[in-house]
Amino acid sequence: MSWYALFVKTGYESSIKKWLDARFDDSLLTSVIPRRKVPEKKDRQEYHAIKTLFPGYVFVETKMNFSIYYTLKENPFIYNSLNYLNNKDKGLLPLDAQQFRLSSQKTDESYFFKEIPTDEMLIVLKLISESEVIEYSQVTFQESNVIVKSGPLKGMESLIKKVDKHKKRAKVLMNIMGREQLVDFGIEIIR
Protein backbone atom coordinates (compact mmCIF):
# COMPACT_ATOMS: atom_id res chain seq x y z
CA MET A 1 0.00 0.00 0.00
CA SER A 2 1.11 3.56 -0.69
CA TRP A 3 0.27 7.04 0.56
CA TYR A 4 -1.79 9.50 -1.48
CA ALA A 5 -3.03 13.05 -0.90
CA LEU A 6 -6.67 13.98 -1.38
CA PHE A 7 -7.57 17.60 -2.15
CA VAL A 8 -10.58 18.41 0.02
CA LYS A 9 -12.64 21.44 1.02
CA THR A 10 -10.69 23.34 3.66
CA GLY A 11 -12.32 23.02 7.07
CA TYR A 12 -13.99 19.70 6.18
CA GLU A 13 -10.94 17.50 6.75
CA SER A 14 -12.30 15.90 9.95
CA SER A 15 -15.73 15.17 8.50
CA ILE A 16 -14.12 13.63 5.41
CA LYS A 17 -11.92 11.44 7.64
CA LYS A 18 -15.05 10.24 9.47
CA TRP A 19 -16.71 9.53 6.12
CA LEU A 20 -13.66 7.58 4.91
CA ASP A 21 -13.46 5.58 8.15
CA ALA A 22 -17.15 4.65 7.85
CA ARG A 23 -16.94 3.88 4.13
CA PHE A 24 -13.72 1.82 4.01
CA ASP A 25 -12.34 -1.04 6.07
CA ASP A 26 -8.96 -0.27 7.73
CA SER A 27 -7.32 -3.05 5.72
CA LEU A 28 -8.37 -1.32 2.48
CA LEU A 29 -7.83 2.37 3.28
CA THR A 30 -6.43 4.30 6.25
CA SER A 31 -6.80 8.08 6.51
CA VAL A 32 -4.70 10.60 8.43
CA ILE A 33 -5.06 14.35 9.06
CA PRO A 34 -1.80 15.61 10.59
CA ARG A 35 -2.47 18.43 13.04
CA ARG A 36 -0.18 20.49 15.25
CA LYS A 37 -0.53 22.04 18.66
CA VAL A 38 0.65 25.66 18.77
CA PRO A 39 0.56 28.33 21.48
CA GLU A 40 -1.56 31.39 20.77
CA LYS A 41 -2.42 34.52 22.72
CA LYS A 42 -5.71 36.35 22.94
CA ASP A 43 -6.35 39.19 25.37
CA ARG A 44 -2.98 38.44 27.01
CA GLN A 45 -4.13 34.89 27.79
CA GLU A 46 -2.13 32.03 26.32
CA TYR A 47 -3.99 28.98 25.06
CA HIS A 48 -3.17 25.95 22.93
CA ALA A 49 -4.70 25.78 19.45
CA ILE A 50 -4.90 22.64 17.33
CA LYS A 51 -4.37 23.48 13.65
CA THR A 52 -4.30 21.32 10.54
CA LEU A 53 -0.73 20.86 9.34
CA PHE A 54 -1.73 20.90 5.65
CA PRO A 55 -5.14 22.58 5.31
CA GLY A 56 -7.19 21.17 2.45
CA TYR A 57 -5.48 17.76 2.42
CA VAL A 58 -6.32 14.34 3.81
CA PHE A 59 -3.69 11.62 3.46
CA VAL A 60 -4.76 8.07 2.69
CA GLU A 61 -2.82 4.82 2.65
CA THR A 62 -4.28 2.37 0.17
CA LYS A 63 -3.67 0.41 -3.02
CA MET A 64 -5.22 3.07 -5.25
CA ASN A 65 -7.23 2.00 -8.27
CA PHE A 66 -10.07 3.48 -10.29
CA SER A 67 -12.74 1.78 -8.18
CA ILE A 68 -11.46 3.38 -4.95
CA TYR A 69 -10.93 6.68 -6.73
CA TYR A 70 -14.53 6.85 -7.97
CA THR A 71 -15.83 5.86 -4.54
CA LEU A 72 -13.83 8.77 -3.09
CA LYS A 73 -15.29 11.10 -5.72
CA GLU A 74 -18.81 10.33 -4.41
CA ASN A 75 -18.09 12.72 -1.54
CA PRO A 76 -18.72 16.26 -2.87
CA PHE A 77 -16.06 17.73 -0.56
CA ILE A 78 -13.27 15.53 -1.97
CA TYR A 79 -12.16 17.42 -5.03
CA ASN A 80 -9.36 15.27 -6.39
CA SER A 81 -6.23 13.29 -5.63
CA LEU A 82 -2.72 13.88 -6.84
CA ASN A 83 -2.44 12.18 -10.23
CA TYR A 84 -0.31 12.07 -13.34
CA LEU A 85 -3.07 13.24 -15.65
CA ASN A 86 -2.23 16.97 -15.49
CA ASN A 87 0.00 18.58 -18.11
CA LYS A 88 2.87 19.20 -15.68
CA ASP A 89 3.21 15.56 -14.61
CA LYS A 90 2.27 13.63 -17.77
CA GLY A 91 5.95 13.20 -18.62
CA LEU A 92 6.61 11.74 -15.15
CA LEU A 93 4.35 8.74 -15.74
CA PRO A 94 6.28 5.47 -15.50
CA LEU A 95 7.12 4.05 -18.93
CA ASP A 96 4.63 1.17 -18.52
CA ALA A 97 1.79 3.62 -17.97
CA GLN A 98 2.86 5.81 -20.90
CA GLN A 99 2.70 2.73 -23.13
CA PHE A 100 -0.72 1.93 -21.66
CA ARG A 101 -2.00 5.31 -22.88
CA LEU A 102 -0.65 4.61 -26.35
CA SER A 103 -1.91 1.04 -26.55
CA SER A 104 -4.84 -0.73 -24.97
CA GLN A 105 -2.71 -3.14 -22.92
CA LYS A 106 -3.74 -3.67 -19.31
CA THR A 107 -1.41 -2.21 -16.66
CA ASP A 108 -1.44 -1.43 -12.94
CA GLU A 109 -4.02 1.32 -12.36
CA SER A 110 -1.98 2.75 -9.49
CA TYR A 111 0.42 4.20 -12.09
CA PHE A 112 -2.12 6.94 -12.78
CA PHE A 113 -2.22 8.16 -9.17
CA LYS A 114 0.72 10.10 -7.80
CA GLU A 115 2.10 8.55 -4.62
CA ILE A 116 3.63 10.59 -1.84
CA PRO A 117 7.28 9.47 -1.61
CA THR A 118 7.77 7.16 1.37
CA ASP A 119 10.58 9.26 2.89
CA GLU A 120 8.37 12.37 2.92
CA MET A 121 5.44 10.56 4.50
CA LEU A 122 7.65 8.84 7.10
CA ILE A 123 8.68 12.26 8.45
CA VAL A 124 5.03 13.26 8.85
CA LEU A 125 4.16 9.93 10.51
CA LYS A 126 7.15 10.27 12.86
CA LEU A 127 5.94 13.72 13.95
CA ILE A 128 2.33 12.80 14.72
CA SER A 129 1.31 10.81 17.76
CA GLU A 130 -1.54 8.33 18.14
CA SER A 131 -3.99 11.25 18.19
CA GLU A 132 -2.52 12.61 14.93
CA VAL A 133 -1.49 15.80 16.79
CA ILE A 134 2.10 17.04 16.83
CA GLU A 135 2.79 17.97 20.45
CA TYR A 136 5.32 20.51 21.73
CA SER A 137 9.02 19.79 21.62
CA GLN A 138 11.25 20.84 24.53
CA VAL A 139 14.18 22.90 23.26
CA THR A 140 17.19 24.67 24.68
CA PHE A 141 19.88 26.84 23.11
CA GLN A 142 23.66 26.62 23.06
CA GLU A 143 25.08 29.79 21.56
CA SER A 144 23.06 30.10 18.33
CA ASN A 145 22.22 26.39 18.01
CA VAL A 146 18.84 24.87 18.81
CA ILE A 147 18.96 21.58 20.72
CA VAL A 148 15.77 19.53 20.96
CA LYS A 149 15.77 17.69 24.29
CA SER A 150 12.53 15.76 23.73
CA GLY A 151 9.38 15.74 21.62
CA PRO A 152 8.55 15.09 17.99
CA LEU A 153 11.32 17.34 16.61
CA LYS A 154 14.07 15.39 18.41
CA GLY A 155 16.71 14.41 15.85
CA MET A 156 15.30 16.85 13.30
CA GLU A 157 17.28 19.94 14.39
CA SER A 158 18.62 20.44 10.86
CA LEU A 159 15.07 21.11 9.60
CA ILE A 160 14.50 23.95 12.10
CA LYS A 161 15.14 27.18 10.22
CA LYS A 162 14.03 29.79 12.75
CA VAL A 163 12.82 29.99 16.36
CA ASP A 164 10.51 32.68 17.71
CA LYS A 165 11.12 32.62 21.48
CA HIS A 166 8.36 35.15 22.17
CA LYS A 167 5.65 33.17 20.32
CA LYS A 168 7.18 29.81 21.36
CA ARG A 169 7.24 28.49 17.82
CA ALA A 170 9.82 26.88 15.57
CA LYS A 171 9.71 27.23 11.80
CA VAL A 172 10.48 23.85 10.26
CA LEU A 173 11.22 23.27 6.58
CA MET A 174 9.12 20.35 5.35
CA ASN A 175 9.16 18.77 1.91
CA ILE A 176 5.82 17.19 1.10
CA MET A 177 4.23 16.40 -2.26
CA GLY A 178 7.20 17.85 -4.11
CA ARG A 179 7.03 21.26 -2.42
CA GLU A 180 9.09 22.79 0.35
CA GLN A 181 7.25 24.88 2.90
CA LEU A 182 7.90 26.36 6.32
CA VAL A 183 5.53 25.13 9.02
CA ASP A 184 5.20 26.49 12.58
CA PHE A 185 5.46 23.97 15.44
CA GLY A 186 4.90 24.73 19.10
CA ILE A 187 7.90 24.50 21.42
CA GLU A 188 8.60 24.69 25.15
CA ILE A 189 11.82 26.52 25.98
CA ILE A 190 13.86 24.87 28.74
CA ARG A 191 16.31 27.09 30.56
Side-chain angles (χ1 to χ4, degrees):
M1 295 210 305
S2 302
W3 284 96
Y4 300 90
L6 301 179
F7 296 119
V8 302
K9 185 172 182 174
T10 303
Y12 284 75
E13 296 91 353
S14 294
S15 63
I16 290 169
K17 180 177 174 28
K18 288 178 188 171
W19 183 84
L20 291 169
D21 291 346
R23 189 73 158 203
F24 293 96
D25 184 63
D26 282 347
S27 63
L28 185 60
L29 184 140
T30 306
S31 60
V32 171
I33 306 167
R35 294 173 294 160
R36 60 200 163 102
K37 186 178 187 180
V38 291
E40 298 215 339
K41 285 186 179 178
K42 186 174 183 178
D43 299 328
R44 295 185 183 181
Q45 294 291 327
E46 187 174 295
Y47 66 97
H48 309 285
I50 305 293
K51 296 187 173 194
T52 304
L53 186 60
F54 302 107
Y57 291 97
V58 174
F59 298 99
V60 295
E61 183 181 31
T62 188
K63 175 96 170 91
M64 188 65 84
N65 58 40
F66 291 125
S67 174
I68 291 173
Y69 175 76
Y70 287 117
T71 302
L72 294 172
K73 292 291 285 175
E74 290 173 11
N75 187 314
F77 300 118
I78 298 176
Y79 298 139
N80 214 340
S81 72
L82 287 177
N83 60 59
Y84 286 110
L85 301 180
N86 61 56
N87 289 333
K88 178 182 170 191
D89 291 333
K90 278 184 183 174
L92 299 176
L93 263 170
L95 187 58
D96 295 351
Q98 289 179 21
Q99 292 171 347
F100 175 76
R101 286 189 319 170
L102 299 174
S103 70
S104 60
Q105 295 175 350
K106 181 111 173 105
T107 191
D108 186 2
E109 293 175 356
S110 67
Y111 279 142
F112 292 95
F113 303 99
K114 194 177 201 179
E115 297 177 13
I116 297 174
T118 306
D119 57 333
E120 291 179 3
M121 200 61 202
L122 284 176
I123 290 173
V124 173
L125 294 174
K126 179 184 180 274
L127 288 169
I128 62 176
S129 61
E130 295 288 323
S131 64
E132 298 178 8
V133 176
I134 302 167
E135 296 289 336
Y136 294 151
S137 293
Q138 292 72 38
V139 301
T140 188
F141 301 93
Q142 279 185 352
E143 298 171 11
S144 62
N145 296 328
V146 178
I147 298 168
V148 180
K149 293 290 187 181
S150 64
L153 294 176
K154 184 155 179 69
M156 301 174 78
E157 289 87 348
S158 63
L159 298 177
I160 299 173
K161 298 302 174 192
K162 184 178 178 183
V163 173
D164 186 333
K165 294 178 183 177
H166 180 69
K167 291 184 178 179
K168 299 178 186 171
R169 294 185 182 196
K171 289 201 179 288
V172 177
L173 184 65
M174 295 195 66
N175 187 6
I176 191 83
M177 298 176 290
R179 287 190 343 224
E180 285 187 342
Q181 64 185 74
L182 284 173
V183 180
D184 282 350
F185 289 104
I187 58 171
E188 291 176 16
I189 298 172
I190 300 171
R191 303 204 188 284

